[in-house]
């Protein structure tokens, strides 16, 4: 997806004046602090991923259920997300799966959200290393803040 398509989707989720611009690729290494959502095909084979940094995770995780913006700021500062934020982020990543599907791609579904790249299973880690298609964004979640998001496909 391009920035315009991402903006439309994020605006549907959070409302307000969403800003989406091209971003830098997020690090897929353990210890980077980034979170990853893995998407699988009908055979449960990992075929796509969405990476986000802590700021996007906290801002999106709070905005989805309108938690206070201060909670997002605290999570960013401490680098610890509350379970509610993670649950909300899972829903955001589930909705973003629609951006990874078109008439030429296999059906896919969100499998798991990993808050720690170090806990990524071997098959997901191997699949991640083969994902060559990617789109990287900086997303401003209205009333919350800015964070990074990368979509990767095999």
């Amino acid at each position: 997806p391009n920035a315009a398509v991402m903006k439309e989707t994020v605006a549907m989720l959070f409302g307000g004046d969403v800003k989406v611009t091209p971003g830098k690729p997020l690090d897929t290494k353990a210890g980077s602090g980034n979170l990853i959502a893995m998407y699988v095909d009908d055979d449960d084979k990992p075929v796509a991923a969405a990476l986000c940094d802590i700021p996007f995770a906290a801002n999106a995780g709070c905005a989805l259920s309108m938690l206070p913006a201060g909670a997002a700021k605290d999570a960013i500062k401490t680098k610890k997300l509350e379970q509610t934020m993670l649950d909300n982020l899972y829903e955001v990543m589930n909705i973003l799966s629609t951006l990874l599907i078109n008439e030429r791609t296999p059906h896919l579904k969100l499998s798991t959200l990993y808050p720690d790249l170090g806990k990524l299973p071997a098959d997901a880690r191997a699949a991640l290393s083969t994902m060559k298609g990617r789109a990287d964004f900086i997303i401003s979640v209205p009333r919350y803040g800015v964070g990074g998001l990368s979509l990767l496909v095999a």
Side-chain angles (χ1 to χ4, degrees), residues 13-75:
L13 282 169
F14 306 122
D17 185 25
V18 174
K19 291 187 179 39
V20 177
T21 56
K24 294 182 178 167
L26 293 176
D27 194 345
T28 60
K29 293 186 181 89
S32 66
N34 295 326
L35 295 84
I36 188 166
M38 293 301 299
Y39 302 89
V40 297
D41 63 14
D42 289 333
D43 296 322
D44 285 333
K45 176 183 162 202
V47 293
L51 279 159
C52 68
D53 59 16
I54 296 256
F56 179 83
N59 291 322
C62 285
L64 190 65
S65 61
M66 294 186 272
L67 297 172
K73 288 180 184 12
D74 290 346

Side-chain angles (χ1 to χ4, degrees), residues 73-91:
K73 288 180 184 12
D74 290 346
I76 293 166
K77 191 159 88 172
T78 63
K79 298 186 174 161
K80 292 191 189 311
L81 276 72
E82 300 294 327
Q83 188 60 48
T84 303
M85 294 175 200
L86 290 170
D87 293 343
N88 288 343
L89 181 63
Y90 182 92
E91 292 306 321

Side-chain angles (χ1 to χ4, degrees), residues 72-146:
K73 288 180 184 12
D74 290 346
I76 293 166
K77 191 159 88 172
T78 63
K79 298 186 174 161
K80 292 191 189 311
L81 276 72
E82 300 294 327
Q83 188 60 48
T84 303
M85 294 175 200
L86 290 170
D87 293 343
N88 288 343
L89 181 63
Y90 182 92
E91 292 306 321
V92 170
M93 294 302 193
N94 193 33
I95 291 164
L96 293 180
S97 70
T98 61
L99 300 176
L100 300 168
I101 302 171
N102 64 38
E103 62 280 349
R104 297 183 312 275
T105 61
H107 174 262
L108 59 81
K109 63 183 177 190
L110 176 57
S111 170
T112 308
L113 174 67
Y114 296 96
D116 178 355
L117 279 162
K119 297 205 176 3
L120 204 57
D123 64 334
R125 168 95 20 230
L128 191 59
S129 69
T130 68
M131 294 179 188
K132 302 299 181 214
R134 73 179 300 142
D136 305 293
F137 304 98
I138 299 293
I139 299 174
S140 176
V141 178
R143 298 173 302 282
Y144 288 86
V146 176

